[in-house]
Amino acid sequence: MGQLRSASRSAMRCATRVLLVEDNGGDAELIQQSLGGAGEGSFGVERVSRLSDALARLGRGGIEVLLLDLALPDGQGLDAFDQVFRAAPNALILVLGTASDEAIARKAVQRGASDYLIKGHVDAHWLPRALRYLLDRKATRDALRASELRFRAMSDASPLGIFVSDVQGDCVYTNAAYHRISGLTFEETLGTKWSTAIHPDDRQRVLAEWRDAAGGGASFQTEFRFLQPNGSVVWARVNSAAMNDGLAVNGGVKTVEDISQRKAAEFALQAVEEALFEERERAQVTLDSIGDAVLTTDLQGKVTYLNVAAEALTGWSREDALGRPLSEVFHIIDGGTRQAAPDPAQQAIKENRTVGLAADSILVRRDGGESAIEDSAAPIHDRDGRVAGAVIVFHDVSESGPWC
């Protein structure tokens, strides 16, 4: 007996709970008989005859299917349906009515009912099969909705904007990040093309790149500005890929990354580089305009720069001299002993101070010619104050030009 009671309770737990809201005893009995013979444990039917009782029962939960008469003593028509729908929005609701109620029943379906039944056309074979079909369809629809909600939650959590289009290129889905980047709402993006929000100054270039990639079947990636409706500009990097069902392309998806901060950093760096270039050009013009020769080295004593005057005095062009040892380009000797003179650049680097060239110093040019020179060498410091090289400034002091 215990096993029988346990099996009975198990069957009750597996049965689909149906609430029949019907005040007509004959109609109620016919429906109960139809569902009662649908197989053991298939449907567990409870019946109430008033709308107030139905709302009270729905408040306790557990009802999966609701069969609702549209003509109750305390509630009729769409008003009764609306109250029940609010009380059990996730239940499968079928409205019951006569042939004359069919127009109202159809409106109930438009407002959320799963279907409607005409009294007098209910039989033991058809009703259970119809309910099972509707339950299966609802389960599939609920699963799809849950899947869509999970996808949207994951999509909206992504920092990348997502734009999904159909095979004609019309938008069918966008996520929250795309709305932030484009400045458009979900409703404003639906049915539009992905190029709608491109800044007018970028559109021609981007569409030309798009056509080239599409024509060659290549993947598409580019950077452009979004022009938001409020006039704000957002830089974005876009990647595009086709979607297919294994047989043919049925749409496309584009991921959009906000790169405004990166672009701002690039533009700032570019501005600094341009400013440095201009400053270097001004320095170059200045150094090339003065009469003194100027030569610089790194810590290892390799030549890093010569101005025009230094090129003329040493006989070395800037291109040939760069990277060569200073002693090769700036070859100086003692005029009296004809011995190699001390390296002024290394002395300035070592002592971290300005030093002068020894008296009676002679510069031996690349072609072997000689010039008496005077010079001074000073250390070059980096931004942290460390010695990074040396600069030598010198000029010809020969009374009658270069020595022969």
Short mmCIF file of all heavy atoms in Angstrom, two decimals, residues 147-193:
data_model
loop_
_atom_site.label_atom_id
_atom_site.label_comp_id
_atom_site.label_asym_id
_atom_site.label_seq_id
_atom_site.Cartn_x
_atom_site.Cartn_y
_atom_site.Cartn_z
N SER A 147 17.16 31.51 -24.04
CA SER A 147 18.43 31.54 -24.76
C SER A 147 18.73 32.95 -25.27
O SER A 147 19.87 33.42 -25.19
CB SER A 147 18.39 30.56 -25.92
OG SER A 147 19.58 30.61 -26.68
N GLU A 148 17.71 33.62 -25.78
CA GLU A 148 17.89 34.98 -26.27
C GLU A 148 18.28 35.92 -25.13
O GLU A 148 19.12 36.80 -25.30
CB GLU A 148 16.62 35.46 -26.95
CG GLU A 148 16.34 34.77 -28.28
CD GLU A 148 15.01 35.18 -28.88
OE1 GLU A 148 14.20 35.79 -28.14
OE2 GLU A 148 14.77 34.90 -30.06
N LEU A 149 17.65 35.73 -23.96
CA LEU A 149 17.96 36.58 -22.81
C LEU A 149 19.39 36.35 -22.35
O LEU A 149 20.10 37.30 -21.99
CB LEU A 149 16.98 36.30 -21.67
CG LEU A 149 15.55 36.78 -21.89
CD1 LEU A 149 14.65 36.32 -20.75
CD2 LEU A 149 15.49 38.31 -22.01
N ARG A 150 19.84 35.08 -22.35
CA ARG A 150 21.22 34.80 -21.97
C ARG A 150 22.19 35.43 -22.97
O ARG A 150 23.21 36.01 -22.58
CB ARG A 150 21.45 33.29 -21.89
CG ARG A 150 20.85 32.62 -20.67
CD ARG A 150 21.40 31.23 -20.49
NE ARG A 150 21.04 30.35 -21.61
CZ ARG A 150 19.95 29.62 -21.66
NH1 ARG A 150 19.08 29.66 -20.66
NH2 ARG A 150 19.70 28.85 -22.70
N PHE A 151 21.86 35.29 -24.27
CA PHE A 151 22.72 35.88 -25.29
C PHE A 151 22.79 37.39 -25.13
O PHE A 151 23.88 37.98 -25.20
CB PHE A 151 22.20 35.53 -26.69
CG PHE A 151 22.86 36.32 -27.78
CD1 PHE A 151 24.13 35.99 -28.21
CD2 PHE A 151 22.21 37.41 -28.37
CE1 PHE A 151 24.76 36.73 -29.21
CE2 PHE A 151 22.83 38.15 -29.36
CZ PHE A 151 24.11 37.80 -29.78
N ARG A 152 21.64 38.04 -24.92
CA ARG A 152 21.63 39.49 -24.77
C ARG A 152 22.40 39.90 -23.52
O ARG A 152 23.13 40.91 -23.55
CB ARG A 152 20.20 40.02 -24.71
CG ARG A 152 20.13 41.53 -24.54
CD ARG A 152 18.74 42.07 -24.76
NE ARG A 152 18.40 42.10 -26.17
CZ ARG A 152 18.77 43.06 -27.00
NH1 ARG A 152 19.51 44.06 -26.58
NH2 ARG A 152 18.41 43.03 -28.26
N ALA A 153 22.25 39.14 -22.42
CA ALA A 153 22.99 39.49 -21.20
C ALA A 153 24.49 39.40 -21.43
O ALA A 153 25.25 40.28 -21.02
CB ALA A 153 22.57 38.56 -20.06
N MET A 154 24.93 38.32 -22.09
CA MET A 154 26.36 38.18 -22.39
C MET A 154 26.81 39.26 -23.37
O MET A 154 27.89 39.84 -23.23
CB MET A 154 26.63 36.79 -22.96
CG MET A 154 26.47 35.67 -21.96
SD MET A 154 26.98 34.06 -22.62
CE MET A 154 25.73 33.81 -23.90
N SER A 155 25.98 39.53 -24.37
CA SER A 155 26.33 40.53 -25.38
C SER A 155 26.42 41.91 -24.77
O SER A 155 27.36 42.67 -25.05
CB SER A 155 25.27 40.51 -26.50
OG SER A 155 25.49 41.55 -27.41
N ASP A 156 25.46 42.26 -23.90
CA ASP A 156 25.46 43.58 -23.30
C ASP A 156 26.59 43.75 -22.30
O ASP A 156 26.98 44.87 -21.97
CB ASP A 156 24.12 43.86 -22.63
CG ASP A 156 23.02 44.17 -23.64
OD1 ASP A 156 23.36 44.45 -24.80
OD2 ASP A 156 21.84 44.11 -23.28
N ALA A 157 27.12 42.63 -21.78
CA ALA A 157 28.25 42.71 -20.85
C ALA A 157 29.57 42.91 -21.59
O ALA A 157 30.58 43.26 -20.98
CB ALA A 157 28.32 41.45 -20.00
N SER A 158 29.56 42.71 -22.90
CA SER A 158 30.79 42.83 -23.68
C SER A 158 31.13 44.30 -23.91
O SER A 158 30.25 45.12 -24.18
CB SER A 158 30.62 42.12 -25.04
OG SER A 158 31.70 42.43 -25.89
N PRO A 159 32.43 44.66 -23.82
CA PRO A 159 32.82 46.04 -24.14
C PRO A 159 32.82 46.31 -25.64
O PRO A 159 32.91 47.47 -26.05
CB PRO A 159 34.25 46.13 -23.57
CG PRO A 159 34.76 44.73 -23.64
CD PRO A 159 33.57 43.84 -23.37
N LEU A 160 32.72 45.25 -26.45
CA LEU A 160 32.68 45.42 -27.90
C LEU A 160 31.25 45.64 -28.38
O LEU A 160 30.33 44.93 -27.96
CB LEU A 160 33.26 44.17 -28.59
CG LEU A 160 34.74 43.89 -28.38
CD1 LEU A 160 35.12 42.61 -29.10
CD2 LEU A 160 35.60 45.05 -28.88
N GLY A 161 31.07 46.59 -29.25
CA GLY A 161 29.78 46.77 -29.88
C GLY A 161 29.52 45.66 -30.88
O GLY A 161 30.45 45.18 -31.53
N ILE A 162 28.28 45.24 -31.00
CA ILE A 162 27.91 44.17 -31.95
C ILE A 162 26.76 44.67 -32.82
O ILE A 162 25.76 45.18 -32.33
CB ILE A 162 27.48 42.89 -31.20
CG1 ILE A 162 28.66 42.36 -30.36
CG2 ILE A 162 27.01 41.83 -32.19
CD1 ILE A 162 28.29 41.16 -29.52
N PHE A 163 26.96 44.51 -34.13
CA PHE A 163 25.94 44.90 -35.11
C PHE A 163 25.69 43.68 -36.00
O PHE A 163 26.59 43.23 -36.70
CB PHE A 163 26.45 46.08 -35.95
CG PHE A 163 25.48 46.61 -36.97
CD1 PHE A 163 24.77 47.78 -36.74
CD2 PHE A 163 25.27 45.95 -38.18
CE1 PHE A 163 23.89 48.29 -37.70
CE2 PHE A 163 24.40 46.44 -39.13
CZ PHE A 163 23.69 47.61 -38.88
N VAL A 164 24.48 43.13 -35.94
CA VAL A 164 24.13 41.95 -36.72
C VAL A 164 23.15 42.36 -37.81
O VAL A 164 22.16 43.06 -37.54
CB VAL A 164 23.51 40.84 -35.85
CG1 VAL A 164 23.18 39.61 -36.69
CG2 VAL A 164 24.46 40.46 -34.72
N SER A 165 23.43 41.94 -39.04
CA SER A 165 22.56 42.29 -40.17
C SER A 165 22.08 41.03 -40.88
O SER A 165 22.70 39.96 -40.78
CB SER A 165 23.30 43.19 -41.15
OG SER A 165 24.48 42.55 -41.62
N ASP A 166 20.97 41.18 -41.60
CA ASP A 166 20.46 40.07 -42.39
C ASP A 166 21.18 40.03 -43.74
O ASP A 166 22.13 40.80 -43.98
CB ASP A 166 18.94 40.15 -42.56
CG ASP A 166 18.50 41.45 -43.24
OD1 ASP A 166 19.34 42.09 -43.92
OD2 ASP A 166 17.33 41.83 -43.10
N VAL A 167 20.73 39.15 -44.64
CA VAL A 167 21.42 38.97 -45.90
C VAL A 167 21.34 40.22 -46.77
O VAL A 167 22.19 40.44 -47.64
CB VAL A 167 20.86 37.74 -46.65
CG1 VAL A 167 19.45 38.02 -47.15
CG2 VAL A 167 21.78 37.31 -47.78
N GLN A 168 20.34 41.07 -46.54
CA GLN A 168 20.24 42.33 -47.29
C GLN A 168 21.09 43.44 -46.67
O GLN A 168 21.17 44.55 -47.20
CB GLN A 168 18.78 42.81 -47.37
CG GLN A 168 17.92 42.06 -48.36
CD GLN A 168 17.48 40.70 -47.83
OE1 GLN A 168 17.23 40.56 -46.63
NE2 GLN A 168 17.38 39.71 -48.70
N GLY A 169 21.71 43.16 -45.52
CA GLY A 169 22.53 44.16 -44.85
C GLY A 169 21.78 45.02 -43.88
O GLY A 169 22.35 45.99 -43.33
N ASP A 170 20.50 44.72 -43.64
CA ASP A 170 19.70 45.51 -42.70
C ASP A 170 19.90 45.00 -41.28
O ASP A 170 19.93 43.79 -41.04
CB ASP A 170 18.21 45.45 -43.07
CG ASP A 170 17.94 46.07 -44.43
OD1 ASP A 170 18.64 47.03 -44.79
OD2 ASP A 170 17.03 45.59 -45.13
N CYS A 171 20.01 45.92 -40.34
CA CYS A 171 20.27 45.57 -38.95
C CYS A 171 19.11 44.80 -38.33
O CYS A 171 17.95 45.19 -38.46
CB CYS A 171 20.54 46.84 -38.14
SG CYS A 171 20.76 46.54 -36.38
N VAL A 172 19.46 43.71 -37.63
CA VAL A 172 18.45 42.93 -36.89
C VAL A 172 18.77 42.90 -35.40
O VAL A 172 17.92 42.52 -34.60
CB VAL A 172 18.34 41.49 -37.43
CG1 VAL A 172 17.83 41.50 -38.87
CG2 VAL A 172 19.68 40.75 -37.35
N TYR A 173 20.00 43.30 -35.02
CA TYR A 173 20.35 43.27 -33.60
C TYR A 173 21.56 44.17 -33.35
O TYR A 173 22.51 44.20 -34.13
CB TYR A 173 20.69 41.84 -33.15
CG TYR A 173 21.27 41.79 -31.75
CD1 TYR A 173 20.45 41.89 -30.64
CD2 TYR A 173 22.64 41.68 -31.55
CE1 TYR A 173 20.98 41.87 -29.36
CE2 TYR A 173 23.18 41.66 -30.27
CZ TYR A 173 22.34 41.74 -29.19
OH TYR A 173 22.86 41.74 -27.92
N THR A 174 21.53 44.88 -32.23
CA THR A 174 22.69 45.62 -31.74
C THR A 174 22.71 45.49 -30.22
O THR A 174 21.66 45.33 -29.59
CB THR A 174 22.63 47.11 -32.12
OG1 THR A 174 21.32 47.63 -31.82
CG2 THR A 174 22.92 47.32 -33.60
N ASN A 175 23.91 45.58 -29.63
CA ASN A 175 24.00 45.44 -28.18
C ASN A 175 24.25 46.79 -27.51
O ASN A 175 24.35 47.83 -28.17
CB ASN A 175 25.10 44.44 -27.81
CG ASN A 175 26.49 44.97 -28.08
OD1 ASN A 175 26.67 45.89 -28.87
ND2 ASN A 175 27.49 44.38 -27.44
N ALA A 176 24.35 46.76 -26.18
CA ALA A 176 24.46 48.00 -25.42
C ALA A 176 25.73 48.78 -25.76
O ALA A 176 25.70 50.00 -25.85
CB ALA A 176 24.42 47.68 -23.92
N ALA A 177 26.85 48.07 -25.95
CA ALA A 177 28.09 48.76 -26.27
C ALA A 177 27.99 49.49 -27.61
O ALA A 177 28.51 50.60 -27.77
CB ALA A 177 29.26 47.77 -26.30
N TYR A 178 27.30 48.87 -28.58
CA TYR A 178 27.12 49.54 -29.87
C TYR A 178 26.29 50.81 -29.70
O TYR A 178 26.56 51.83 -30.35
CB TYR A 178 26.45 48.61 -30.87
CG TYR A 178 26.35 49.22 -32.25
CD1 TYR A 178 27.41 49.11 -33.15
CD2 TYR A 178 25.21 49.92 -32.66
CE1 TYR A 178 27.34 49.70 -34.40
CE2 TYR A 178 25.14 50.50 -33.91
CZ TYR A 178 26.20 50.38 -34.78
OH TYR A 178 26.13 50.96 -36.01
N HIS A 179 25.30 50.76 -28.81
CA HIS A 179 24.47 51.94 -28.60
C HIS A 179 25.31 53.07 -28.00
O HIS A 179 25.14 54.24 -28.37
CB HIS A 179 23.30 51.60 -27.67
CG HIS A 179 22.47 50.46 -28.16
ND1 HIS A 179 21.75 49.63 -27.33
CD2 HIS A 179 22.27 49.98 -29.42
CE1 HIS A 179 21.14 48.70 -28.05
NE2 HIS A 179 21.45 48.91 -29.31
N ARG A 180 26.23 52.74 -27.08
CA ARG A 180 27.09 53.77 -26.49
C ARG A 180 28.02 54.37 -27.54
O ARG A 180 28.25 55.58 -27.55
CB ARG A 180 27.92 53.17 -25.35
CG ARG A 180 27.12 52.79 -24.11
CD ARG A 180 28.04 52.51 -22.93
NE ARG A 180 28.94 51.39 -23.18
CZ ARG A 180 28.65 50.13 -22.91
NH1 ARG A 180 27.48 49.82 -22.38
NH2 ARG A 180 29.52 49.16 -23.15
N ILE A 181 28.57 53.52 -28.40
CA ILE A 181 29.54 53.99 -29.39
C ILE A 181 28.86 54.82 -30.49
O ILE A 181 29.36 55.86 -30.90
CB ILE A 181 30.30 52.80 -30.01
CG1 ILE A 181 31.15 52.12 -28.93
CG2 ILE A 181 31.17 53.25 -31.17
CD1 ILE A 181 31.77 50.81 -29.38
N SER A 182 27.71 54.34 -30.97
CA SER A 182 27.04 55.01 -32.08
C SER A 182 26.15 56.16 -31.62
O SER A 182 25.82 57.04 -32.42
CB SER A 182 26.18 54.00 -32.85
OG SER A 182 25.10 53.54 -32.05
N GLY A 183 25.73 56.13 -30.35
CA GLY A 183 24.80 57.14 -29.87
C GLY A 183 23.37 56.87 -30.30
O GLY A 183 22.50 57.72 -30.11
N LEU A 184 23.11 55.67 -30.86
CA LEU A 184 21.78 55.31 -31.34
C LEU A 184 21.14 54.29 -30.40
O LEU A 184 21.83 53.48 -29.79
CB LEU A 184 21.86 54.72 -32.75
CG LEU A 184 22.47 55.62 -33.82
CD1 LEU A 184 22.68 54.83 -35.11
CD2 LEU A 184 21.58 56.83 -34.08
N THR A 185 19.82 54.31 -30.30
CA THR A 185 19.10 53.33 -29.50
C THR A 185 18.90 52.06 -30.32
O THR A 185 19.12 52.03 -31.53
CB THR A 185 17.74 53.87 -29.06
OG1 THR A 185 16.91 54.06 -30.24
CG2 THR A 185 17.88 55.20 -28.34
N PHE A 186 18.45 51.00 -29.63
CA PHE A 186 18.18 49.74 -30.31
C PHE A 186 17.14 49.95 -31.41
O PHE A 186 17.29 49.46 -32.54
CB PHE A 186 17.69 48.71 -29.30
CG PHE A 186 17.35 47.37 -29.90
CD1 PHE A 186 18.35 46.52 -30.35
CD2 PHE A 186 16.02 46.97 -30.04
CE1 PHE A 186 18.03 45.29 -30.92
CE2 PHE A 186 15.70 45.74 -30.60
CZ PHE A 186 16.71 44.91 -31.04
N GLU A 187 16.09 50.70 -31.09
CA GLU A 187 15.03 50.93 -32.07
C GLU A 187 15.54 51.74 -33.26
O GLU A 187 15.11 51.52 -34.40
CB GLU A 187 13.86 51.67 -31.41
CG GLU A 187 13.08 50.85 -30.39
CD GLU A 187 13.83 50.65 -29.08
OE1 GLU A 187 14.78 51.44 -28.81
OE2 GLU A 187 13.51 49.70 -28.34
N GLU A 188 16.46 52.66 -33.01
CA GLU A 188 16.99 53.49 -34.10
C GLU A 188 17.93 52.73 -35.03
O GLU A 188 18.11 53.12 -36.18
CB GLU A 188 17.73 54.70 -33.52
CG GLU A 188 16.80 55.73 -32.90
CD GLU A 188 17.54 56.81 -32.14
OE1 GLU A 188 18.65 56.53 -31.65
OE2 GLU A 188 17.02 57.93 -32.02
N THR A 189 18.52 51.64 -34.54
CA THR A 189 19.43 50.87 -35.38
C THR A 189 18.71 49.83 -36.23
O THR A 189 19.19 49.47 -37.31
CB THR A 189 20.48 50.15 -34.53
OG1 THR A 189 19.84 49.24 -33.63
CG2 THR A 189 21.32 51.15 -33.74
N LEU A 190 17.57 49.32 -35.76
CA LEU A 190 16.88 48.26 -36.48
C LEU A 190 16.52 48.69 -37.90
O LEU A 190 15.96 49.77 -38.11
CB LEU A 190 15.62 47.83 -35.73
CG LEU A 190 15.84 47.08 -34.41
CD1 LEU A 190 14.51 46.70 -33.79
CD2 LEU A 190 16.69 45.83 -34.62
N GLY A 191 16.85 47.83 -38.86
CA GLY A 191 16.50 48.10 -40.24
C GLY A 191 17.45 49.03 -40.96
O GLY A 191 17.29 49.27 -42.16
N THR A 192 18.46 49.57 -40.26
CA THR A 192 19.40 50.48 -40.90
C THR A 192 20.63 49.72 -41.42
O THR A 192 20.84 48.56 -41.09
CB THR A 192 19.87 51.57 -39.92
OG1 THR A 192 20.61 50.95 -38.85
CG2 THR A 192 18.68 52.31 -39.33
N LYS A 193 21.44 50.39 -42.20
CA LYS A 193 22.70 49.83 -42.68
C LYS A 193 23.80 50.17 -41.68
O LYS A 193 23.73 51.18 -40.98
CB LYS A 193 23.06 50.39 -44.06
CG LYS A 193 22.00 50.19 -45.13
CD LYS A 193 21.79 48.72 -45.45
CE LYS A 193 20.80 48.56 -46.60
NZ LYS A 193 20.52 47.14 -46.91
#
